[in-house]
Amino acid sequence: MFGRFKLPITLVVVALIYGTLGYWLVEGKDLLDAFYTTVLTLSTVGVGQGPAQGSGGKVFTISLIFFGVMALFTAIGVGTEVVASGEVARWMRRSRMIKRVDRLSGHYVVCAFGRVGRAVVEELRRQERTGVVIEPKPELAGTIAEHAILHVAGDPTDEAVLRRAGIQRAQGLICAVDSDAANVFITLTARALNPDLRIIARAAESASVDKLIRAGADEVVSPYRLSGRRMALLAVQPSMREVVDLLDLGPDIRLEEVAVRPGSRLDGLTVMEARTRYAGVAILALRKPSSTVAANPEPGVRLAPGDLIIVLGPVGILDRMAD
C-alpha cells in the first residue's frame, strides 16, 4: 500500500524544496520565511500581504502554484483511491493480526489453506487449539478473513514468513502444501528454527515419506492412502461404517491423548478402574515412558506419571479425565 504513495510524496517534497529555494534565491528571504511562504502558497491560504512585488517573484509564485497544486492533487487522489478501495482497512486488519500472532505461544502453524489445511483448521478449532495459517495465494485471503482465522500471507518455504507465524514459539506444524518438495523444505527450515516442534507433514507420493522423516517430520500422512483405505473398508465391510463415523469425531466425540500427571485423577488407577470411573470412555492404547504404544492395554496395568493414554469418548467426560 505504501508503495503507491512514493511518487506523490516525492512530488510534494520536491515542491517544498523548490519553493523554499526559489523564494530564498529570487526574493532574498531567509530560509524560514521562504519555507513559510511556500507552505502558505501550496495550502492555497496565501501569503497575507500577497506575493513579493517583484516580477520575478510573481512569476516564480505562479510556477510554484501550478507545480505544487499538481503534486497535492496527485497525493489527495492516491489517498482517496486507497481509502475507497478498502486498502487502509485491510492494512489495519493485517497490522492487528500481526500483533495477535506476535503474542501467541504454544499454537499450531498450518501451511496452506487448501482442502487438507481447511480440515486441519476445523479440527484445531474443535479441539479449542489456536492455529495460524500461512497462505501464499492472495485470492484466498478473503475466505480466510471471513472465517476469522489468524493468517500470515506469504510463502511458507520462506524462513522470514515462518518466523512471522511464530514458528519458534509454536507447539506444532502441519505441512499441508500440495507439493512434497515444498513440505520437505518447510520441515527442514522449521526443525532448524524450533528443535522441539512437533511436525506433521503431508505426502502425496510414497517416495516422499522417507525424505520427510529424514528432514525432521515426526509423522507423515498420505491423505490419498487414508481415503483409499476407508473407501475399501466401507466397500468390503459395510458394517464398519458406524465405527468409521465415530472416528470422524462429531461435535460430542473426541479422540484424545491424555497425559497422566502426578496427583491427577488418573494417577495410581489401573486401566480397569479408569474405565469404570469414566464410563463411556474407551481407553484404546497406552504408552509407558521409553516404550512403544500398546493397543488395548491389560485391565490390571497401573497408570503412573509420564504415561500417555489414547482415549475416545464424550468431550465432557474427557475434560474431567484430563484434570
Side-chain angles (χ1 to χ4, degrees), residues 20-321:
T20 301
L21 292 177
Y23 283 121
W24 177 52
L25 296 173
V26 176
E27 294 299 319
K29 296 177 181 290
D30 61 51
L31 287 176
L32 179 60
D33 285 341
F35 180 73
Y36 178 67
T37 303
T38 301
V39 172
L40 289 178
T41 302
L42 294 179
S43 66
T44 70
V45 173
V47 292
Q49 300 298 322
Q53 298 299 314
S55 59
K58 293 178 180 179
V59 171
F60 175 76
T61 300
I62 292 172
S63 69
L64 176 62
I65 289 173
F66 277 111
F67 177 48
V69 168
M70 179 188 69
L72 288 174
F73 273 108
T74 300
I76 292 171
V78 172
T80 302
E81 181 183 352
V82 168
V83 172
S85 66
E87 285 191 40
V88 173
R90 288 194 292 271
W91 176 79
M92 292 178 66
R93 284 198 298 269
R94 284 196 298 268
S95 297
R96 289 195 297 268
M97 189 166 296
I98 289 172
K99 291 180 181 178
R100 290 178 61 189
V101 173
D102 287 342
R103 293 194 295 265
L104 288 179
S105 180
H107 58 289
Y108 292 83
V109 177
V110 181
C111 296
F113 196 63
R115 288 172 295 179
V116 176
R118 295 184 192 196
V120 170
V121 171
E122 289 176 5
E123 184 58 30
L124 288 175
R125 281 188 164 180
R126 188 180 298 172
Q127 299 279 350
E128 298 181 352
R129 306 297 175 92
T130 302
V132 176
V133 171
I134 300 177
E135 176 52 59
K137 297 178 181 177
E139 60 269 22
L140 293 179
T143 303
I144 296 173
E146 288 176 4
H147 290 80
I149 299 169
L150 291 176
H151 167 225
V152 173
D155 186 351
T157 62
D158 187 341
E159 179 178 330
V161 175
L162 288 172
R163 289 181 181 274
R164 287 207 304 271
I167 197 69
Q168 293 165 294
R169 306 181 306 277
Q171 181 174 340
L173 169 70
I174 294 91
C175 299
V177 181
D178 57 6
S179 165
D180 288 357
N183 285 330
V184 170
F185 193 84
I186 295 168
T187 300
L188 281 168
T189 306
R191 179 60 71 203
L193 294 173
N194 186 347
D196 298 325
L197 189 69
R198 180 162 178 80
I199 301 176
I200 311 299
R202 168 187 175 177
E205 303 292 336
S206 57
S208 301
V209 175
D210 288 341
K211 295 177 183 178
L212 285 162
I213 294 296
R214 289 197 299 269
D218 295 289
E219 301 288 347
V220 179
V221 177
S222 174
Y224 304 111
R225 181 176 297 180
L226 287 177
S227 59
R229 286 178 177 174
R230 174 173 176 176
M231 292 172 69
L233 179 64
L234 293 176
V236 176
Q237 302 182 46
S239 60
M240 291 292 292
R241 177 177 178 179
E242 293 183 6
V243 177
V244 173
D245 287 342
L246 269 180
L247 296 179
D248 275 341
L249 307 184
D252 298 323
I253 300 294
R254 184 188 299 169
L255 181 67
E256 192 166 297
E257 178 184 271
V258 177
V260 180
R261 301 187 305 275
S264 66
R265 297 183 179 183
L266 293 172
D267 188 7
L269 296 181
T270 63
V271 171
M272 177 60 73
E273 290 171 340
R275 286 171 175 163
T276 302
R277 178 174 295 185
Y278 300 100
V281 171
I283 299 179
L284 304 178
L286 168 66
R287 188 181 72 183
K288 291 283 186 180
S290 303
S291 179
T292 58
V293 175
N296 192 25
E298 293 294 330
V301 175
R302 194 166 296 278
L303 303 176
D307 291 351
L308 288 174
I309 57 174
I310 309 300
V311 292
L312 176 69
V315 174
I317 300 178
L318 294 183
D319 288 341
R320 295 198 307 270
M321 197 176 195

